[in-house]
């Protein structure tokens, strides 16, 4: 006889059935175990069919999201995991443990939603909200609660939440701009992505920063976008209600932070003919040149006749990419690059741009009341100064470095731009000069100008011939030195058996890197020579790439500050590299593992810093093809028996063609030493990436502390930020980890060099040649701006 059902269990079942019935009444169309196969347009629609949740096509595959079924193209209002790579296979499935998964996409599961309580059903609702329900019919997850770039009617942007623009109309990945509902002050503000929540980075706001309580941004069914707070007692309308249109069968409103950084309010109306009509009802900001980042670095924005933004280069600059005007400009001359003895180079001049606005991020300030002439003179006499910004209201003059950013026409500033040629005329609305020269004077001036031009060309040609001759002589000397060393250990090919014998069957490992293990060995051809043999053990293609980079980058160099590559084995699947052996380990050992708890003497540490700088200068400036090392860190700097530092490990190096100064490549290097441009993933990488890494190493040399030590200890500031704080306080010697007595001025000089090296933008960092001169005290430098991580 069957056992009767327990009353408590019966009550639970009744509750579950009632809950499911309730969920069913709430437009449920998905239950546990139901799946949706991946295909463009495959979806779970809302009851009206106007909204859908499912798969839509993107470049390279599919994405999961919510869209309004406008025609001819859908209007995406929400995207799941928007920065994931696209996929083409798999299925959406509400799992029995209550999660929404994209299963089998590229062989792995992707979580679309993981609610705090297991979901038993889901629904695409007619308001555009896709929701997950728990067994008790409560909503445990919704797309409205996790907005991407869009708000729909009835959807809130809560205090502390943000909208992020998409990259483009065809890519829903996170773009360049964000709309932040600031929790601390109730202000709704737009910023470029990657900036801090500070007024200097903002380009639009609601002016509610003194309201005293948090606000919620809300869009209602009539199209009114407004802020509300203090339990509904405070409201501020940002837009007006949309007028009703009799020809519409239905209409929907949305507010989207578009890829160009403008917030727009849209109305989508379904006409009686079945056609969809879309109107833009409001935009903010109204002037698109006010969007910070509308134009790239060193370019400024102007509006054309149709109020569309155009990007132009200031005097002395050219577009980085002629096909992409918004991509920014680069200096067409070397103006602003510090060289030995530069004070007031007669070849430099200042071009003037009036009635403009640029981001004011100075490293030097001249007090209010400064004249235009004094402002220009202060910049042109300072080799670190690339431009000067004069506030025409109070006469404050600020010295600026490259890159300049957020430029636009209109504003109360005059920009003086250092150029390499004759002074350019004033731009951007400057006063008209009505001086006219007589014909005879004009002819005379033209004649003098032509003669001067011919003389200058002759001088430049002579200088170039002299430079080429000197370079040839230096190169012959270097090659002679290399050949002398090569007589002792020429670059040669070894057999695998030879290297197996030299390393006693790879018995004595010295260390392991990303690509393989390094073993100690002894070569016995004509004597005994200690060597280090790197056996490449990673994937075959990775090993081959490192092998080629090492041989190409430093194959026959004899530079004293680079570890010499003596030979190699390239035999079948075997890839081995043979180097001179460094008996004193790495710079990391030198700095962080000193015996007895002591630290290396200051003078030795400065010597090591100069050794590394000379090695990088050789790679960057003295080879026919420049080399970007891409992984400068203490572990890749080795010490020989004499205490000389030598740069090693070129497995990630990037070789530039003789006519190249920059390159595009994926992220390479080690966390803690990577320059910011690696993370940005946009724009070129230059030798200045190595300069940044060197700056971090230089700080480690000063402090005898690892770059990641403070972060690993839970501190919110970096080693660079900590050192900069001490520098500002005049306490640079406190950065030293020893009690050794060292002149404060010398320590301050080294820390300032490091700060210049770790600037956020590559153009602001010095060349390695200048670094050497600054470390030696032969080149003066102004006080540096904050380091990269402080922006």
């Amino acid at each position: 006889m069957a056992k009767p059902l327990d009353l408590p269990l019966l009550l639970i079942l009744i509750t579950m059935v009632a809950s499911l019935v309730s969920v069913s009444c709430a437009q449920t169309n998905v239950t546990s175990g139901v799946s949706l196969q991946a295909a463009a347009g495959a979806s779970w629609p809302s009851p009206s069919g106007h909204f859908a949740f499912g798969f839509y096509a993107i470049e390279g595959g599919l994405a999961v999201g919510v869209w309004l079924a406008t025609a001819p193209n859908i209007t995406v209002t929400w995207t799941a995991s928007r920065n994931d790579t696209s996929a083409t296979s798999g299925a959406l499935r509400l799992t029995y443990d209550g999660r929404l998964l994209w299963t089998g996409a590229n062989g792995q599961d992707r979580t679309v939603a993981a609610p705090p309580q297991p979901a038993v059903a889901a629904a695409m609702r007619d308001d555009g909200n896709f929701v997950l329900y728990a067994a008790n019919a409560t909503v445990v997850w919704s797309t409205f609660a996790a907005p991407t770039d869009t708000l729909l009617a009835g959807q809130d942007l809560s205090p502390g939440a943000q909208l992020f623009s998409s990259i483009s109309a065809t890519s829903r990945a996170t773009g360049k701009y964000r709309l932040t509902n600031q929790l601390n002050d109730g202000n709704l503000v737009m910023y470029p992505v990657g900036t801090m929540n500070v007024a200097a980075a903002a380009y639009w706001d609601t002016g509610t920063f003194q309201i005293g309580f948090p606000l919620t941004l809300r869009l209602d069914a009539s199209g009114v976008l407004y802020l509300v707070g203090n339990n509904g007692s405070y409201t501020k309308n940002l837009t007006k209600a949309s007028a009703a249109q009799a020809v519409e069968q239905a209409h929907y409103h949305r507010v989207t932070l578009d890829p160009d950084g403008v917030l727009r309010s849209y109305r989508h109306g379904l006409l009686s003919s079945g056609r969809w009509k879309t109107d833009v009802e409001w935009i903010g900001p109204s002037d698109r040149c006010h969007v910070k980042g509308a134009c790239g670095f060193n370019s400024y924005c102007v509006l054309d006749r149709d109020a569309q933004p155009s990007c132009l280069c200031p005097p002395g600059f050219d577009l980085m990419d002629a096909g992409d005007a918004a991509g920014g400009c680069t200096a067409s001359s070397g103006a602003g690059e510090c060289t030995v003895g530069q004070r007031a180079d007669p070849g430099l001049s200042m071009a003037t741009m009036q009635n403009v606005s640029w981001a004011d991020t100075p490293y030097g300030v001249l007090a209010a009341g400064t004249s235009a002439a004094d402002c220009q003179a202060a910049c042109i006499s300072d080799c670190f100064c690339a431009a000067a910004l004069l506030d025409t209201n109070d006469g404050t003059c600020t010295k600026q470095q490259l890159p300049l950013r957020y430029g636009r026409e209109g504003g109360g500033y005059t920009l003086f731009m250092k150029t390499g040629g004759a002074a350019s005329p004033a731009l951007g609305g400057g006063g008209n000069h009505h001086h006219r020269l007589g014909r005879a004077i004009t002819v005379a001036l033209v004649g003098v100008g032509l003669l001067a031009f011919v003389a200058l060309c002759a001088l430049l040609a002579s200088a170039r011939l002299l430079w080429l001759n000197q370079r040839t002589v230096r190169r012959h000397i270097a090659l002679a030195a290399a050949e002398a060393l090569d007589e002792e250990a020429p670059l040669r090919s070894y057999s695998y058996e030879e290297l197996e014998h030299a390393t006693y069957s790879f018995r004595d490992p010295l260390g392991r890197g990303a690509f393989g293990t390094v073993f100690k060995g002894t070569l016995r051809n004509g004597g005994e020579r200690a060597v280090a043999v790197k056996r490449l053990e990673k994937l075959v293609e990775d090993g081959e790439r490192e092998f080629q980079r090492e041989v190409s980058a430093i194959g026959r160099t004899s530079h004293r500050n680079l570890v010499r590559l003596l030979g190699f084995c390239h035999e079948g699947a075997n890839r081995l590299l043979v180097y001179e052996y460094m008996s004193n380990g790495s710079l990391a050992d030198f700095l962080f593992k000193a015996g007895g708890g002591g630290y290396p003497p200051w003078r030795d540490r400065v010597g090591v810093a100069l050794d590394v700088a000379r090695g990088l200068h050789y790679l960057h400036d003295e080879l026919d093809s420049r080399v970007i090392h891409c992984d400068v860190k203490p572990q890749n700097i080795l010490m020989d028996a004499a205490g000389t530092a030598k740069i090693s490990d070129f497995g990630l190096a990037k070789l530039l063609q003789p006519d190249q100064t920059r390159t595009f490549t994926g992220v390479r290097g080690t966390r803690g030493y990577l320059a910011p441009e690696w993370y940005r993933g946009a724009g070129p990488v230059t030798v200045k990436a190595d300069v940044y890494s060197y700056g971090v190493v230089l700080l480690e040399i000063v402090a005898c502390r690892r770059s990641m030590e403070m972060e690993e200890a839970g501190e919110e500031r970096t080693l660079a930020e900590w050192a900069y704080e001490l520098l500002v306080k005049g306490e640079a010697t406190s950065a030293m980890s020893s009690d050794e007595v060292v002149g404060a001025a010398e320590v301050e000089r080294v820390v300032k060099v490091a700060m210049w090296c770790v600037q956020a933008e590559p153009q602001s960092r010095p060349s390695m040649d200048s670094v050497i001169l600054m470390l030696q005290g032969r080149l003066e430098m102004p006080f540096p701006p904050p380091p990269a991580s402080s922006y």
Side-chain angles (χ1 to χ4, degrees), residues 161 238 301 403 420 495 554 663 713:
L238 304 181
C301 182
S495 68
I554 59 167
T663 185

Side-chain angles (χ1 to χ4, degrees), residues 62 84-87 100-106 108-112:
L62 301 172
D84 283 358
T85 56
S86 61
L100 184 63
L101 296 183
W102 182 355
T103 62
N106 288 347
Q108 61 182 5
D109 291 344
R110 299 184 182 185
T111 300
V112 176

Side-chain angles (χ1 to χ4, degrees), residues 263-337:
L263 189 68
R264 291 180 175 87
S265 175
Y266 293 89
R267 178 191 177 102
H268 299 279
L270 177 59
L271 305 182
S272 55
S273 63
R275 186 173 59 88
W276 284 90
K277 179 185 178 184
T278 300
D279 296 309
V280 177
E281 298 189 318
W282 175 86
I283 68 171
S286 56
D287 185 339
R288 292 176 61 185
C289 278
H290 281 259
V291 176
K292 291 185 173 178
C295 295
F297 290 144
N298 303 318
S299 65
Y300 64 101
C301 182
V302 297
L303 292 180
D304 61 21
R305 293 181 179 179
D306 297 324
Q308 299 299 310
S310 297
C311 300
L312 304 176
C313 297
F317 286 76
D318 298 315
L319 289 174
M320 293 181 65
D321 181 353
D324 180 16
C329 304
T330 185
S332 54
S333 70
E337 184 79 17

Side-chain angles (χ1 to χ4, degrees), residues 221-253:
S222 67
V224 175
L225 183 67
Y226 64 99
L227 291 164
V228 60
N230 201 22
N231 296 319
S233 63
Y234 173 88
T235 60
K236 179 176 181 176
N237 289 357
L238 304 181
T239 67
K240 297 179 181 180
S242 178
Q245 299 182 25
V247 295
E248 292 179 343
Q249 292 182 345
H251 69 269
Y252 300 91
H253 293 276

